[in-house]
Amino acid sequence: MRFEDRSWTVVMLEGARVRLVGSDNSPATVLVSYLFAAPDFELIGAPRRQVPPFGLLEELSVQARKRGEAWERHVREVETGLAVPGQGGVPRAEFDPAQRTVAEREEAKAAELTAAGQPTSAVTVRRMRARYREKGLWGLVDQRTARRRSVVGRADERVVAAVIQVLEAQRERSSGTLSRLRRMVGWVLEEAHGPGVVEVPPVTTFNRLVHALADGHGLLGSAAQQRRRTSRPDPPFTPTVALRPGELVMLDRSARAQRVLPSRLARAAGYQVVTEGGSRMS
């Protein structure tokens, strides 16, 4: 590893401390948190791990996910001898790491899959092992089957455009009720496409569409509510790691209620009172 522009070797982990030996045999003891937070800390020769694709597996079809999970069991059996490591059992002879080399286990797995009606070569098994090491289960699935879901579902694009147009027109003003928005969207559709050409969705479907487009963007509610929503910063939804106390600080910028005291009480409390003309009273 590299740390403070030098190469080091880890010789011992002791609680929250790590003992290092430099390339010139000089020893050092460093807190693990300090080491990880150092800007020049780097593992030499270690592969860079990618952030797991959270939620992407949920976009796959059930069949594609099952195929990926089946390949995961095959890869684990080739590498460890057991399809589900940690649950005990005895490896089958053709996949026992104590009796067969990795190449032999790859050949055995390819032959087994081919006999089961899934033509596979040892090269394919080797490639799937590499994908699994790099990306986990996500590397074993057919990523082309991932469904990209839209927040508006299968709604007519013309209706979506009309809803957005009406919501944008009502920005900084009260959007009123959903029934009023529905009437306004109907007027926009008639003006753009002609009477009866594009139908306004049923009430339940329309309300769901409006919330999908407006929620989180400050486009629905009273004017005051819209201003408060749009003034809020985006929350940190990305994974965040803090290694030192005070490294990550969350600030609440919401408006606070201000207490107004009568002039006599304010002076008694020791506050200065500013009159309408700008003069100060003690």
Side-chain angles (χ1 to χ4, degrees):
M1 53 167 279
R2 290 195 62 82
F3 171 62
E4 292 186 348
D5 296 329
R6 296 175 60 185
S7 297
W8 301 85
T9 300
V10 178
V11 295
M12 181 184 298
L13 287 174
E14 189 177 32
R17 297 179 298 176
V18 56
R19 295 186 180 274
L20 308 174
V21 174
S23 55
D24 56 353
N25 293 327
S26 59
T29 302
V30 185
L31 287 173
V32 175
S33 58
Y34 180 80
L35 180 66
F36 287 169
D40 59 344
F41 169 72
E42 181 183 6
L43 295 177
I44 300 176
R48 295 183 177 272
R49 295 187 178 271
Q50 299 182 353
V51 177
F54 299 108
L56 292 181
L57 292 174
E58 299 299 326
E59 299 181 355
L60 296 171
S61 64
V62 176
Q63 185 179 5
R65 191 159 56 246
K66 287 183 176 180
R67 283 199 299 266
E69 292 170 350
W71 262 113
E72 183 179 37
R73 292 190 293 270
H74 295 318
V75 169
R76 285 176 171 177
E77 187 172 25
V78 169
E79 294 188 342
T80 67
L82 298 174
V84 184
Q87 292 188 357
V90 179
R92 292 188 288 171
E94 60 269 32
F95 300 108
D96 189 349
Q99 303 180 27
R100 299 287 188 272
T101 65
V102 175
E104 290 174 338
R105 300 198 298 272
E106 290 174 345
E107 291 285 354
K109 179 57 67 175
E112 179 184 62
L113 292 175
T114 301
Q118 182 181 344
T120 309
S121 65
V123 175
T124 301
V125 176
R126 192 174 304 119
R127 183 171 64 249
M128 299 303 277
R129 289 181 55 230
R131 289 181 179 178
Y132 187 67
R133 285 197 304 269
E134 181 181 359
K135 299 181 179 180
L137 180 57
W138 180 249
L140 302 178
V141 300
D142 185 358
Q143 301 172 13
R144 297 171 299 178
T145 63
R147 299 188 300 268
R148 302 299 179 182
R149 299 175 182 174
S150 171
V151 295
V152 299
R154 299 180 180 179
D156 191 324
E157 294 181 358
R158 296 169 295 183
V159 176
V160 174
V163 172
I164 294 176
Q165 178 180 339
V166 172
L167 289 174
E168 290 289 350
Q170 299 297 311
R171 188 184 288 273
E172 302 298 335
R173 292 184 294 175
S174 175
S175 58
T177 63
L178 290 173
S179 58
R180 173 191 168 194
L181 281 175
R182 190 167 182 268
R183 290 194 301 270
M184 296 176 67
V185 169
W187 298 336
V188 171
L189 290 173
E190 287 187 2
E191 183 178 353
H193 306 285
V197 176
V198 181
E199 296 291 338
V200 181
V203 175
T204 303
T205 304
F206 178 82
N207 293 348
R208 189 163 54 245
L209 174 62
V210 170
H211 282 291
L213 294 171
D215 289 352
H217 298 281
L219 297 176
L220 199 61
S222 65
Q225 290 173 336
Q226 293 184 41
R227 286 193 293 269
R228 283 198 298 269
R229 291 169 186 157
T230 55
S231 63
R232 294 175 184 170
D234 294 332
F237 287 118
T238 56
T240 305
V241 177
L243 299 176
R244 300 177 181 176
E247 186 175 350
L248 178 65
V249 180
M250 302 295 292
L251 299 179
D252 184 2
R253 297 179 56 193
S254 59
R256 298 293 182 185
Q258 297 180 356
R259 179 177 295 178
V260 179
L261 299 176
S263 300
R264 186 177 301 174
L265 294 178
R267 287 195 296 271
Y271 294 102
Q272 290 184 336
V273 180
V274 181
T275 63
E276 293 183 358
S279 60
R280 296 185 177 181
M281 300 173 59
S282 301

Coordinates of all heavy atoms in Angstrom, one line a residue, residues 263 266-267 271-282:
S263 N -42.8 46.1 22.7 CA -41.7 47.0 23.0 C -41.3 47.0 24.5 O -40.1 46.9 24.8 CB -42.0 48.4 22.5 OG -42.3 48.4 21.1
A266 N -39.7 43.7 25.4 CA -38.4 43.6 24.8 C -37.3 44.4 25.5 O -36.2 44.0 25.7 CB -38.5 44.0 23.3
R267 N -37.7 45.7 25.9 CA -36.7 46.5 26.6 C -36.4 45.9 28.0 O -35.3 45.9 28.4 CB -37.3 47.9 26.8 CG -37.2 48.7 25.4 CD -37.4 50.2 25.7 NE -38.8 50.5 26.3 CZ -39.9 50.7 25.5 NH1 -39.7 50.7 24.2 NH2 -41.0 50.9 26.1
Y271 N -33.4 43.7 25.0 CA -33.3 43.8 23.6 C -33.4 45.2 23.1 O -34.1 46.1 23.8 CB -34.4 43.0 22.9 CG -34.2 41.5 23.1 CD1 -35.0 40.8 24.0 CD2 -33.3 40.8 22.4 CE1 -34.9 39.5 24.3 CE2 -33.1 39.4 22.6 CZ -33.9 38.8 23.6 OH -33.8 37.4 23.8
Q272 N -32.8 45.6 22.0 CA -33.0 46.9 21.4 C -34.2 46.8 20.5 O -34.5 45.8 19.8 CB -31.8 47.3 20.5 CG -30.6 47.6 21.4 CD -29.4 48.0 20.5 OE1 -29.3 47.7 19.4 NE2 -28.5 48.8 21.1
V273 N -35.0 47.8 20.5 CA -36.2 47.9 19.7 C -36.0 48.9 18.6 O -35.6 50.1 18.9 CB -37.4 48.3 20.6 CG1 -38.7 48.4 19.8 CG2 -37.6 47.3 21.7
V274 N -36.3 48.5 17.4 CA -36.2 49.4 16.2 C -37.6 49.8 15.8 O -38.5 49.0 15.5 CB -35.5 48.7 15.0 CG1 -35.4 49.6 13.8 CG2 -34.1 48.2 15.5
T275 N -37.8 51.1 15.8 CA -39.1 51.7 15.4 C -39.2 51.7 13.9 O -38.3 51.4 13.1 CB -39.3 53.1 16.0 OG1 -38.3 54.0 15.4 CG2 -39.1 53.1 17.5
E276 N -40.4 52.1 13.4 CA -40.7 52.1 11.9 C -39.7 53.1 11.2 O -39.4 52.9 10.1 CB -42.1 52.4 11.7 CG -43.1 51.4 12.2 CD -44.5 51.7 11.8 OE1 -44.7 52.8 11.2 OE2 -45.4 50.9 12.1
G277 N -39.4 54.2 11.9 CA -38.5 55.2 11.3 C -37.1 54.7 11.2 O -36.2 55.4 10.6
G278 N -36.7 53.6 11.9 CA -35.3 53.2 11.9 C -34.5 53.5 13.1 O -33.4 53.1 13.3
S279 N -35.1 54.4 14.0 CA -34.4 54.7 15.2 C -34.5 53.6 16.2 O -35.4 52.8 16.3 CB -34.9 56.0 15.8 OG -36.3 55.8 16.2
R280 N -33.4 53.5 17.1 CA -33.4 52.4 18.1 C -33.7 53.0 19.4 O -33.4 54.1 19.8 CB -32.0 51.8 18.1 CG -31.6 51.1 16.8 CD -30.2 50.4 17.0 NE -29.9 49.7 15.8 CZ -28.8 49.0 15.7 NH1 -27.9 48.9 16.7 NH2 -28.5 48.4 14.5
M281 N -34.5 52.1 20.1 CA -34.9 52.5 21.5 C -34.3 51.5 22.5 O -34.3 50.3 22.2 CB -36.4 52.4 21.6 CG -37.1 53.4 20.7 SD -38.9 53.1 20.7 CE -39.2 53.4 22.5
S282 N -33.7 52.0 23.5 CA -33.0 51.1 24.5 C -34.0 50.8 25.7 O -34.8 51.6 26.0 CB -31.7 51.7 25.0 OG -30.9 52.0 23.9

